[in-house]
């Protein structure tokens, strides 16, 4: 297809098959205007700026709408500070045929496993009490899996009965209210509800992100320079604490297939750097496909600083989220795609598939048409 010479907007698309615990990392279409560098910067007049503020279409997290608020500019540093608000809409037509979100799924009971793991680590003598508490607040669970409706665990919340008056359940409920208030809806009569994304829906994220506007140097556009005023993280070792790449909502123009699409994920406290895979097209627009995975920390010198020591890295394809999320969890791609076969072999019934479970971004580089 011939792209018009003055094509103003080329929308790429993100087939981002992202999953995982709070894996809200979404890279998506970038809107680019050809040739004129100043059009790419986030100065007030540009189309790109308007789109950066409120992406004019829903994203392919299949449920997401992203906005930026409380925007403040700093002319001197050529930066913008903002907060984010994500709104999620369930779109049955993009789910599997016939799925409504009311289906009951079976998954590890995240709360029970997290609480037990942390208590076992910090206060093993209290494990017995924890067992009693679970019987009270989760209605006598028979195993460590939960049967829960998909929309409940994602958004509406899974019920925790904190009306119990016995000591053990009360103590655990008090701890939950203190530690994971972010993920709890508290209803009358001490009924709590826990969900993975519900409390994020439509609420303004408290983090303040500072990015470059790219007016001085367009190649810096969208680059994350600070979060909450800090220019580095304080959770990993060495260079892993750096903010690298953009906020994922805009990328510099003129990227070649040798460049990576660098962006920083606040959910995973690390940058991702998808690499070029092949040429693709989206609605007739020529695009480049970039792919990414979690990585192999033990064997990738750039990623070793995410481990406490180079010898204590998690298995290939997994990432320990304890330091980032303060929860005893690992992140991986679905079905342990691109993971150490030893990890995959421990679970029956997995069918990792690049097309269904991989992270793929179809990206429209600047349309310089001759
Ligand atoms: C998210 O909140 C909006 C309103 O703010 C609501 O319309 C929508 O249904 C909620 N999304 C989900 C998945 O619950």
């Amino acid at each position: 297809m011939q792209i018009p010479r003055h094509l103003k907007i080329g929308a790429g698309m993100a087939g981002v098959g992202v999953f995982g615990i709070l894996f809200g990392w979404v890279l998506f279409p970038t809107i680019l205007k050809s040739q004129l560098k100043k059009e790419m910067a986030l100065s007030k007049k540009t189309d790109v700026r308007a789109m950066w503020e409120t992406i004019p279409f829903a994203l392919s997290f299949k449920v997401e709408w992203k906005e930026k608020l409380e925007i403040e500019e700093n002319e001197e540093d050529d930066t913008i500070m903002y907060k984010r608000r994500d709104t999620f809409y369930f779109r049955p037509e993009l789910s599997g045929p016939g799925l409504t979100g009311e289906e009951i799924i079976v998954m590890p009971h995240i709360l029970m496993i997290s609480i037990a793991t942390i208590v076992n680590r910090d206060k093993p003598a209290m494990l017995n009490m924890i067992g009693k508490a679970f019987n009270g607040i989760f209605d006598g669970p028979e195993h460590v899996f939960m049967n829960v409706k998909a929309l409940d665990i994602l958004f509406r919340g899974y019920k925790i009965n904190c009306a119990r008056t016995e000591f053990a359940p009360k103590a655990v409920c008090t701890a939950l209210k203190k530690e994971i208030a972010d993920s709890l809806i508290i209803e009358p009569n001490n009924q709590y509800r826990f969900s993975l994304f519900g409390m994020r829906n439509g609420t303004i994220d408290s983090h303040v992100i500072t990015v470059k506007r790219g007016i001085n140097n367009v190649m810096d556009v969208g680059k994350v320079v600070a979060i909450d005023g800090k220019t580095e993280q304080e959770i990993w070792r060495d260079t892993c604490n750096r903010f690298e790449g953009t906020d994922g909502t805009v990328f510099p123009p003129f990227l070649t297939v040798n460049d990576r699409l660098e962006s920083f994920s606040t959910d995973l406290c690390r940058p991702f750097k998808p690499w070029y895979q092949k040429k693709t097209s989206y609605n007739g627009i020529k695009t480049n496909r970039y792919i990414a995975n979690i990585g192999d920390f033990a064997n990738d010198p750039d990623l070793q600083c995410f481990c406490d020591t180079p010898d204590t890295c998690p298995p290939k394809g997994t990432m320990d989220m304890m330091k980032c999320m303060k929860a005893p969890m690992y992140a991986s791609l679905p079905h342990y795609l691109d993971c150490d076969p030893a990890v995959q072999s421990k679970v029956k019934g997995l069918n990792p598939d690049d097309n269904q479970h991989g992270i793929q971004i179809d990206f429209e580089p600047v349309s310089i048409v001759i």
Side-chain angles (χ1 to χ4, degrees):
M1 189 194 116
Q2 190 81 30
I3 300 176
R5 188 178 176 85
H6 295 295
L7 181 71
K8 267 205 171 163
I9 298 164
M13 98 129 222
V16 188
V18 180
F19 170 82
I21 320 126
L22 305 186
F23 202 164
W25 179 57
V26 178
L27 285 176
F28 52 84
T30 306
I31 320 298
L32 298 174
K33 170 160 180 174
S34 59
Q35 291 132 339
L36 290 176
K37 285 189 174 182
K38 68 176 194 300
E39 288 291 335
M40 261 313 291
L42 298 174
S43 58
K44 280 198 173 127
K45 301 180 296 291
T46 62
D47 294 347
V48 168
R49 167 66 179 264
M51 292 180 178
W52 175 86
E53 286 184 15
T54 304
I55 313 288
F57 40 81
L59 298 177
S60 66
F61 193 55
K62 300 205 170 159
V63 280
E64 206 167 8
W65 191 269
K66 275 185 183 290
E67 294 166 90
K68 297 186 173 69
L69 306 101
E70 300 180 28
I71 297 173
E72 276 175 46
E73 313 226 7
N74 184 332
E75 299 278 335
E76 228 161 84
D77 301 344
D78 191 22
T79 59
I80 306 187
M81 294 196 314
Y82 66 88
K83 290 185 181 175
R84 294 175 300 183
R85 176 165 65 199
D86 295 345
T87 312
F88 299 85
Y89 296 96
F90 177 56
R91 297 174 62 193
E93 74 280 10
L94 294 179
S95 298
L99 297 180
T100 62
E102 303 300 333
E103 292 75 19
I104 293 181
I105 57 169
V106 181
M107 62 181 279
H109 198 303
I110 311 176
L111 279 180
M112 280 207 288
I113 295 175
S114 303
I115 296 169
T117 307
I118 289 179
V119 169
N120 186 43
R121 186 193 64 190
D122 298 343
K123 291 190 178 138
M126 285 173 69
L127 275 177
N128 191 27
M129 188 199 99
I130 295 298
K132 283 188 196 141
F134 289 166
N135 282 335
I137 63 180
F138 299 127
D139 253 356
E142 281 161 25
H143 43 63
V144 292
F145 291 89
M146 64 203 295
N147 297 346
V148 61
K149 288 184 177 176
L151 278 176
D152 283 351
I153 188 61
L154 288 171
F155 294 103
R156 295 187 300 222
Y158 169 85
K159 226 176 82 183
I160 309 173
N161 180 4
C162 283
R164 312 292 298 215
T165 50
E166 303 94 312
F167 173 74
K170 264 192 139 164
V172 167
C173 285
T174 306
L176 285 177
K177 204 170 168 179
K178 187 164 156 245
E179 302 296 333
I180 59 161
D182 292 358
S183 315
L184 291 180
I185 301 167
I186 299 186
E187 291 179 336
N189 303 325
N190 279 318
Q191 300 299 311
Y192 294 8
R193 285 181 175 276
F194 167 81
S195 71
L196 295 172
F197 294 105
M199 297 299 280
R200 276 205 203 183
N201 186 26
T203 44
I204 301 176
D205 188 285
S206 61
H207 294 300
V208 179
I209 311 208
T210 309
V211 299
K212 282 277 181 193
R213 296 186 304 180
I215 294 173
N216 294 349
N217 174 2
V218 74
M219 296 314 281
D220 282 342
V221 67
K223 195 171 190 276
V224 176
V225 291
I227 296 181
D228 297 331
K230 294 195 172 128
T231 54
E232 254 195 20
Q233 306 181 87
E234 291 167 355
I235 54 183
W236 313 111
R237 295 189 294 123
D238 316 330
T239 52
C240 284
N241 282 319
R242 286 185 193 154
F243 298 123
E244 290 183 277
T246 70
D247 62 7
T249 63
V250 67
F251 290 94
F254 318 121
L255 291 180
T256 73
V257 298
N258 297 318
D259 292 314
R260 288 180 153 207
L261 281 188
E262 298 190 8
S263 75
F264 187 81
S265 162
T266 46
D267 289 324
L268 297 187
C269 308
R270 62 170 285 195
F272 274 87
K273 302 178 182 177
W275 57 90
Y276 173 79
Q277 184 196 30
K278 62 180 182 188
K279 297 219 170 302
T280 46
S281 81
Y282 178 71
N283 285 352
I285 295 169
K286 286 182 185 164
T287 47
N288 291 330
R289 173 157 300 173
Y290 289 74
I291 54 173
N293 59 26
I294 304 279
D296 182 358
F297 292 8
N299 294 305
D300 184 337
D302 288 343
L303 300 179
Q304 277 179 3
C305 48
F306 288 115
C307 321
D308 284 341
T309 67
D311 322 321
T312 53
C313 289
K316 179 184 168 207
T318 66
M319 176 169 178
D320 184 348
M321 298 308 298
M322 189 69 203
K323 287 196 171 141
C324 177
M325 283 175 38
K326 313 264 183 315
M329 291 193 199
Y330 281 70
S332 75
L333 292 179
H335 288 242
Y336 287 138
L337 178 70
D338 290 345
C339 288
D340 184 340
V343 174
Q344 281 171 349
S345 68
K346 292 203 176 109
V347 182
K348 279 190 196 148
L350 296 183
N351 297 300
D353 171 356
D354 280 326
N355 285 323
Q356 280 191 62
H357 309 130
I359 296 171
Q360 304 175 336
I361 301 116
D362 286 343
F363 185 78
E364 200 280 317
V366 176
S367 323
I368 302 180
V369 184
I370 305 145

